[in-house]
Amino acid sequence: MLRILLCPNAFKSSLTAAEAIAAIEAGISRVFALEPNSCVDSDRKTLWQPVALPMADGGDGTMAAIVGGSAGSLFSSVVRGPLGKPVHAHWGRLGEPDEETAVIEMAEAAGLRLLTKQEYNPLLSSTYGVGQLIKAAVEAGCEKIVIGIGGSATNDGGAGMAQALGIRLLDSNSQDLPPGGAALKKLSRIEVPAGILPQHTEFIAACDVNNPLCGPQGASAIYGPQKGADAEMVKVLDDALCHYADIIKRDLGLDIANIPGAGAAGGLGAGLMAFCGARLESGVDLIMDLLHFDEKLDAVDLVITGEGRLDSQTSMGKVIAGVAKRAKIRNIPVLALVGSIEKGAGAAMAANGLTAALSITDGPLRLEEAIRDAYQLLADTSERAARLLDIDLSARKRESILKP
C-alpha cells in the first residue's frame, strides 16, 4: 500500500489548503477508486492511503492549518480593521495537549483582503486590531501566542498593535499618535506601563520573509507598493520607520532596525520584538513542528504538496521548500503541483529535495480564468500524476512477477 501525504499550501486568491487537498484527492480517485481512507482497485487490493495535512507558511491560512491540524477551537472577536472600521476576526486555540497555545493570523484584523483596492493606504492603515486579538488570547489564559504575520495591509511597524495593548506612543505635545505609518515620523517618546502583558507569556511570530525594517530591502520599499504606496509614499513611510526604530532604540534599548524579518508585515515583526519580546521563526518550519510533521513523514511513502507558484522566492521559507527539505532527509519523493513555474525554478528546487513539479495550467490562460478554474485544473493535474504513478506501480508489479 502506498501512503501519500497531501500537504499543500493555499493557492492564493483561489483555493484554501483544505480545498486544494480535496481537488488532489478528487483527481487521484479517477484513477484509483476512492473509498474511506483508502483507494482500492479490485485486482490489486489497496493501492494507496491519503493522509491530509493542510499547510501554511505564516500568511493566509496559517490559523486554519494549525488549529485544524491540532483539533483546536476558533473564537470570534470584533476588532478595528486596518482603517478603523469594526471587523469580525477570529483567533484560534490548539487542542490538547497544547490548549494553552493561541494562534492569531494578523490578516484577520489588518489584512489587505479586508480592503478594496481603492481603500489601500499604508499611510493610514493600522495594526490596532491585531493588538486587540492578542489581548483576547491573553485574557483567555493563553500563555503562548503564535502570530502569522503575512498578508498585511499595514506599514505602521506594529505601532497600532502596541497602542491596543496599552503602550503610549507620544508626539512632542504628549499626544497619542494617530493611526498609520506616516504618523511615526512625529513619534517623540514611548511609555510602556508596567504589567501590560503577563511576564510568562511567550510570543512567536511566524514569518516567511527576512527583510529588515528600513532601507532598500525594507518593509516600505519592498512591500509598500503592494499596499498602494507610490514612490513618494514609500520614502515617507521608510523615513517614518527609520525614525521609529531610532526611538525604540533610545527608549527601550532594542536595536531592531536590521534584524532579518523585522520588516515583515509592514514592520509588525519589529513591533512584536520590541513590545512583546517575540522571536521570529520561519513560518513553515514553526507550523510543521506544531503539526508534528516529521512524525507524519515517518509513516508515508510519497508527499504531494503545492501552492500558487514555484519561483525564485520558493526557497526563502515557502511551503514547498520546507516540505521538500524535511522529506529529503528521509529520502521520501516530493511532487509539487503549482499554478505556474518560473523558468529554472524547478531545477533549482531539486537541490532542496523536490523530486518533480507540475504546473496545473494546461495552456495559455488569463489569470482570472486560472483563479476561477483552479479546483478543476488541480484535480485534472492530480489525475495525470496518478496515471504516471499507476504506470510505475504496474511496472513494479510486472518486475516482481518476472523475478526468478
Side-chain angles (χ1 to χ4, degrees):
M1 178 177 65
L2 188 65
R3 297 157 300 180
I4 306 177
L5 178 60
L6 308 179
C7 54
N9 193 3
F11 282 62
K12 191 172 183 180
S13 302
S14 54
L15 298 174
T16 66
E19 289 169 341
I21 287 175
I24 294 169
E25 286 194 346
I28 294 176
S29 70
R30 298 173 192 168
V31 181
F32 304 129
L34 186 62
E35 293 187 358
N37 298 319
S38 66
C39 296
V40 178
D41 181 281
S42 58
D43 295 329
R44 289 171 282 182
K45 299 184 179 179
T46 302
L47 287 181
W48 75 292
Q49 182 179 51
V51 178
L53 189 69
M55 286 295 299
D57 56 16
D60 290 350
T62 292
M63 180 176 58
I66 299 176
V67 175
S70 70
S73 303
L74 290 178
F75 302 88
S76 179
S77 296
V78 177
V79 301
R80 293 188 195 176
L83 293 179
K85 298 177 183 177
V87 298
H88 289 271
H90 292 86
W91 63 276
R93 192 168 192 162
L94 273 61
E96 294 184 357
D98 303 310
E99 64 272 16
E100 292 184 350
T101 298
V103 182
I104 293 170
E105 194 172 301
M106 77 85 61
E108 282 280 306
L112 206 57
R113 68 187 187 215
L114 299 175
L115 302 175
T116 66
K117 285 191 175 181
Q118 291 72 28
E119 292 176 314
Y120 290 3
N121 191 342
L123 295 174
L124 301 178
S125 53
S126 168
T127 53
Y128 194 94
V130 180
Q132 291 177 296
L133 290 179
I134 291 173
K135 285 186 69 175
V138 170
E139 290 171 358
C142 295
E143 298 181 354
K144 182 176 182 178
I145 315 291
V146 176
I147 306 176
I149 59 174
S152 76
T154 56
N155 206 96
D156 73 344
M161 174 209 70
Q163 290 174 313
L165 294 176
I167 294 164
R168 304 287 305 279
L169 304 179
L170 304 170
D171 62 19
S172 58
N173 296 316
S174 297
Q175 298 297 308
D176 293 299
L177 293 184
L184 296 175
K185 186 65 176 177
K186 297 181 179 180
L187 179 62
S188 179
R189 72 179 192 278
I190 300 171
E191 293 183 0
V192 182
I196 62 167
L197 291 170
Q199 290 185 352
H200 57 273
T201 306
E202 178 184 7
F203 287 86
I204 304 172
C207 176
D208 65 352
V209 301
N210 58 8
N211 303 82
L213 184 62
C214 309
Q217 295 300 313
S220 307
I222 300 300
Y223 303 109
Q226 300 172 10
K227 305 169 188 181
D230 57 23
E232 183 178 347
M233 291 167 67
V234 165
K235 185 177 188 314
V236 169
L237 290 166
D238 189 56
D239 288 346
L241 284 179
C242 289
H243 175 70
Y244 178 60
D246 289 341
I247 301 299
I248 287 175
K249 184 176 181 180
R250 185 197 70 194
D251 290 2
L252 305 183
L254 298 170
D255 189 358
I256 44 83
N258 295 307
I259 296 176
L268 178 59
L272 286 167
M273 286 188 287
F275 302 115
C276 300
R279 67 179 186 271
L280 304 185
E281 293 190 8
S282 162
V284 66
D285 284 322
L286 172 62
I287 292 165
M288 287 193 290
D289 288 342
L290 288 170
L291 296 178
H292 308 290
F293 183 82
D294 291 345
E295 294 176 20
K296 292 178 172 61
L297 270 184
D298 288 337
V300 301
D301 307 293
L302 171 68
V303 175
I304 298 179
T305 185
E307 54 192 317
R309 181 167 169 79
L310 182 68
D311 57 24
S312 59
Q313 299 296 311
T314 300
S315 62
M316 299 174 65
K318 300 298 184 180
V319 164
I320 292 174
V323 166
K325 287 176 183 177
R326 295 205 182 191
K328 182 180 181 181
I329 295 172
R330 292 162 175 76
N331 200 30
I332 299 173
V334 178
L335 170 64
L337 306 178
V338 298
S340 61
I341 304 175
E342 184 180 80
K343 185 176 181 180
M349 274 300 300
N352 290 323
L354 184 63
T355 307
L358 296 175
S359 171
I360 68 172
T361 53
D362 51 9
L365 284 177
R366 294 192 301 272
L367 178 60
E368 56 269 25
E369 291 177 316
I371 291 173
R372 182 195 65 203
D373 299 333
Y375 184 97
Q376 191 64 48
L377 292 167
L378 182 54
D380 291 345
T381 306
S382 300
E383 178 186 356
R384 292 196 294 272
R387 295 197 182 282
L388 292 173
L389 180 60
D390 190 33
I391 291 171
D392 180 62
L393 291 172
S394 298
R396 292 184 189 185
K397 181 180 179 181
R398 287 194 299 271
E399 183 180 345
S400 65
I401 292 173
L402 293 173
K403 280 184 179 179

